[in-house]
Amino acid sequence: MSCKKSNLWYDAMKDEMNSMQSNKVWNLVEMPNGGKAIGCKWVFKTKRDSLGNIERYKARLVAKGFT
């Protein structure tokens, strides 16, 4: 993350991780033999007010689709 606002995006990622931890979104468990892990990716979005000014930076961690 080398953009000028990388610290804002990093803070948004930390907020998302803290939110998931406080809401007990997942439990870490041992992967069963032959199991396949589900991948994930970050989705970044800027939230703007009605005048187009940036209100906040939002990051979401989402599961990747699998076939």
Side-chain angles (χ1 to χ4, degrees), residues 7-40:
N7 59 332
L8 297 171
W9 290 115
Y10 184 71
D11 289 341
M13 292 167 68
K14 286 194 302 188
D15 288 344
E16 174 73 357
M17 293 298 289
N18 289 335
S19 173
M20 285 195 271
Q21 184 177 16
S22 67
N23 290 318
K24 298 181 169 80
V25 172
W26 65 69
N27 294 319
L28 291 179
V29 296
E30 292 286 327
M31 173 119 28
N33 290 337
K36 193 171 183 181
I38 297 173
C40 62

Side-chain angles (χ1 to χ4, degrees), residues 16 20 25-26 37-43 60-66:
E16 174 73 357
M20 285 195 271
V25 172
W26 65 69
I38 297 173
C40 62
K41 67 179 180 177
W42 285 101
V43 177
R60 299 299 294 229
L61 185 62
V62 297
K64 282 187 177 180
F66 56 94

Side-chain angles (χ1 to χ4, degrees), residues 40-66:
C40 62
K41 67 179 180 177
W42 285 101
V43 177
F44 300 99
K45 190 171 191 174
T46 51
K47 294 292 191 170
R48 298 181 181 270
D49 63 14
S50 60
L51 299 175
N53 300 317
I54 295 175
E55 286 187 330
R56 68 183 279 216
Y57 293 84
K58 188 168 186 163
R60 299 299 294 229
L61 185 62
V62 297
K64 282 187 177 180
F66 56 94

